[in-house]
Amino acid sequence: MYTAREHLLAVTRKLHALGLNKGTSGNASVRDGDGFLVTPTGMEVEAMTPHDMVAMTMDGEPRNHGERKPSSEWRFHRDILQARPEINAVIHAHSMFATTMACMHKEIPAFHYMIAVTGGDSIRCAPYALFGSQSLSDNALKALQDRRACLLANHGMITLGETLDEALDIAVEAENLCEQYWRALQIGKPHVL
Ligand SMILES: [Zn+2]
């Protein structure tokens, strides 16, 4: 049986093993009591231990001093967990195809029925805002309305789940959809359902 810290670390490792995140990019969080746990900033995944996961209050303060500093993108994790009571886990990745489409400010339409796993008939792209900023968080929340995935312009993607495993599954599928859409665009105009 995993503790929440162990589970968050395991999913963070899996994001790297699957190639969705590289180096120190990307981060993840999970609701924990009346606060949340988020991955630490600027740390290689290989070096992380469960103890390095940072416990935060919903006010955005670390619960325990002396711990690692939270991901610089903790704000949208907090805001999403606060605004979406049905969601318990948030994953953020700079995966190749999602980020490529995000750099083109492209919304992913319903060109494939699997788009439904992301909660609707499109994956929206939130307008660009500086990483870690309140504007980025506000833009992301809007793009995630009635959805479990969105792109962040010139940045990457966010996926949501009732559990970390669900958020991970949606991240894998969203990246697949972005790759398939990208490939389809190479040879013409994909048919939209
Ligand atoms: Zn990022």
Side-chain angles (χ1 to χ4, degrees):
M1 183 65 182
Y2 278 141
T3 65
R5 283 174 180 272
E6 286 167 344
H7 199 176
L8 182 56
L9 177 57
V11 165
T12 301
R13 290 211 166 119
K14 211 157 173 193
L15 283 165
H16 278 69
L18 291 166
L20 292 176
N21 274 328
K22 293 175 182 171
T24 59
S25 72
N27 36 72
S29 67
V30 64
R31 200 183 292 282
D32 184 41
D34 58 1
F36 63 103
L37 293 167
V38 64
T39 46
T41 188
M43 213 181 159
E44 295 286 341
V45 167
E46 296 74 23
M48 287 181 193
T49 70
H51 185 71
D52 294 313
M53 304 298 112
V54 183
M56 303 280 287
T57 69
M58 280 298 177
D59 293 332
E61 297 294 329
R63 273 188 201 277
N64 307 307
H65 292 288
E67 274 190 315
R68 299 271 173 194
K69 283 196 165 50
S71 162
S72 56
E73 298 184 291
W74 64 266
R75 190 179 297 277
F76 66 66
H77 290 271
R78 189 275 309 271
D79 290 351
I80 290 166
L81 292 170
Q82 201 153 49
R84 300 280 296 266
E86 83 282 15
I87 295 302
N88 295 307
V90 180
I91 283 177
H92 169 52
H94 296 180
S95 51
M96 189 60 69
F97 289 92
T99 304
T100 300
M101 299 315 277
C103 289
M104 303 306 289
H105 295 204
K106 276 207 185 288
E107 172 170 306
I108 311 303
F111 73 101
H112 191 292
Y113 73 88
M114 283 299 281
I115 198 93
V117 305
T118 66
D121 59 3
S122 66
I123 302 174
R124 300 187 192 103
C125 182
Y128 178 76
L130 187 67
F131 76 94
S133 66
Q134 187 62 52
S135 307
L136 176 63
S137 190
D138 295 345
N139 294 351
L141 262 178
K142 209 168 159 204
L144 284 165
Q145 197 173 0
D146 304 318
R147 297 284 191 278
R148 293 200 170 181
C150 77
L151 303 180
L152 303 175
N154 308 88
H155 186 162
M157 72 163 159
I158 295 176
T159 63
L160 315 180
E162 285 167 39
T163 63
L164 276 166
D165 292 329
E166 188 188 21
L168 177 64
D169 287 347
I170 294 174
V172 169
E173 196 51 54
E175 174 67 2
N176 262 342
L177 288 164
C178 287
E179 179 170 1
Q180 289 157 353
Y181 189 53
W182 182 85
R183 287 183 184 279
L185 286 173
Q186 306 312 303
I187 51 173
K189 192 171 183 295
H191 293 277
V192 173
L193 298 173

